[in-house]
Amino acid sequence: MDIQAHINEVWPKLHDLAEPAFKEVKTAAFLADFLRKLGYDVTENVGNTTALTAVLDSGKPGPTVAVRTDMDCLLFKNEDGSLEPIHACGHDAHMTIALGVAKLLKEQGLACGRVKILCQPAEEIGRGALAMLKAGALDDVQYALGYHVMPKDMARSGQIIAQINWTACTLMEGEIRGLAAHGSQPHLGVNAIDAGAAIVNAINALHSNPLLGGSIKTTRFMGGAGSLNAICDKVSIGFDLRSTSNAEMLELRRKVEEIVVNTAKVYGAEADCHIVGTCPAAEADPSVLALTQEVISA
């Protein structure tokens, strides 16, 4: 297999097909057609979504090994307000790799067992994997392998490693409700911006174990869209939480919610905080890691 030729043929097409979560119709059709032509047994519309699976069976006893790729893209807002789908998170590369693996395995042949290509929709909103799990796409799988393009930060050029600890991610959103007043009489109001600024500072003062890669960033702060001489009565605030530890992620969530609600109270405001989306950190199987290390060495 000519790897560069495969990339040149497949990647530009997938890059141009960019479709958002659960709308990967043309993308899924391209993948299904490619895999069928290789001789894989393809199942489309898994879980009544755009998800698909493709199986290559050696006909000999052995495990079923899954290779997983995501399919969706991100939506970007243009200056005119229109939304443009762009593969800015590397899923076009992920699909190219999965199809390359499928092609290579078909050419080389399987010694035993089966390989199952999992093409997952809606990674960006954290719901595609759940849909495939609920549909039973992994019920017959003994080993699942995944990957993500960000090699320059995790592995040196030309280096192969068995594991990268990708983080859990939680997106949280809060609303702070104060009391509007005229700028000449601030004592009659409750400035939601003051409470929001204090919340941001309190969040920035949180410190977690650096070995776990925990972090919290304030990624949204919106309020005060009215007159400049009016006390702001409402602020929308958002946070991005990360950690390689699922246990630490639960603790970070708790702290953010407590800071938002309790800091607002100190300023005489009310606030609530809720989770918009979340995805757990991968917890690797030690036996699979050991096997992967053996294969790399071989």
Side-chain angles (χ1 to χ4, degrees):
M1 173 182 167
D2 186 331
I3 294 175
Q4 190 60 54
H6 169 76
I7 294 171
N8 293 343
E9 175 193 356
V10 173
W11 180 84
K13 296 175 183 177
L14 289 169
H15 183 75
D16 291 342
L17 279 176
E19 297 169 301
F22 287 131
K23 295 182 180 179
E24 311 92 340
V25 178
K26 294 179 181 178
T27 304
F30 178 91
L31 296 173
D33 180 64
F34 189 99
L35 290 162
R36 278 200 184 95
K37 287 178 178 176
L38 288 178
Y40 281 70
D41 182 13
V42 176
T43 301
E44 298 180 80
N45 305 119
V46 175
N48 295 317
T49 71
T50 47
L52 65 106
T53 63
V55 175
L56 181 66
D57 195 333
S58 70
K60 302 172 185 176
T64 296
V65 180
V67 176
R68 174 262 185 197
T69 178
D70 32 24
M71 303 190 293
D72 57 330
C73 73
L74 292 168
L75 286 174
F76 289 83
K77 184 176 286 188
N78 294 316
E79 290 184 0
D80 61 2
S82 63
L83 294 176
E84 182 178 2
I86 301 175
H87 269 306
C89 206
H91 298 182
D92 47 351
H94 299 168
M95 291 183 282
T96 302
I97 293 169
L99 294 182
V101 169
K103 188 174 183 179
L104 192 63
L105 290 173
K106 176 63 178 178
E107 290 177 357
Q108 292 183 348
L110 301 180
C112 65
R114 308 187 311 159
V115 64
K116 189 172 189 178
I117 308 296
L118 304 174
C119 300
Q120 178 209 306
E123 187 273 344
E124 296 294 352
I125 62 172
R127 287 161 46 197
L130 293 175
M132 294 192 77
L133 284 167
K134 193 175 293 184
L138 269 77
D139 287 355
D140 58 348
V141 172
Q142 284 74 55
Y143 301 97
L145 303 175
Y147 46 87
H148 198 294
V149 289
M150 199 185 286
K152 69 184 181 66
D153 296 322
M154 300 294 179
R156 296 187 302 276
S157 178
Q159 184 183 49
I160 304 173
I161 57 178
Q163 178 186 8
I164 292 175
N165 289 318
W166 293 110
T167 59
C169 173
T170 298
L171 303 177
M172 299 184 74
E173 189 174 62
E175 183 180 78
I176 305 160
R177 296 174 295 277
L179 180 63
H182 195 276
S184 64
Q185 296 175 308
H187 61 292
L188 299 181
V190 176
N191 195 332
I193 290 177
D194 288 343
I199 287 169
V200 172
N201 286 330
I203 292 293
N204 288 341
L206 288 176
H207 301 290
S208 59
N209 184 346
L211 296 179
L212 299 179
S215 68
I216 307 172
K217 289 79 61 182
T218 304
T219 53
R220 178 193 295 165
F221 194 107
M222 298 189 301
S227 174
L228 289 177
N229 63 353
I231 300 299
C232 175
D233 65 342
K234 188 176 290 186
V235 162
S236 173
I237 193 166
F239 308 98
D240 176 290
L241 290 66
R242 305 274 170 156
S243 178
T244 57
S245 163
N246 289 316
E248 187 193 38
M249 176 56 74
L250 295 177
E251 184 67 10
L252 292 178
R253 286 187 203 168
R254 181 188 64 79
K255 288 180 178 179
V256 169
E257 184 172 6
E258 288 184 357
I259 285 174
V260 171
V261 173
N262 294 328
T263 304
K265 284 181 181 177
V266 172
Y267 283 79
E270 294 182 346
D272 55 54
C273 191
H274 62 276
I275 293 172
V276 176
T278 187
C279 182
E283 295 183 356
D285 184 322
S287 65
V288 177
L289 287 181
L291 178 60
T292 306
Q293 289 166 346
E294 287 182 24
V295 171
I296 290 170
S297 298

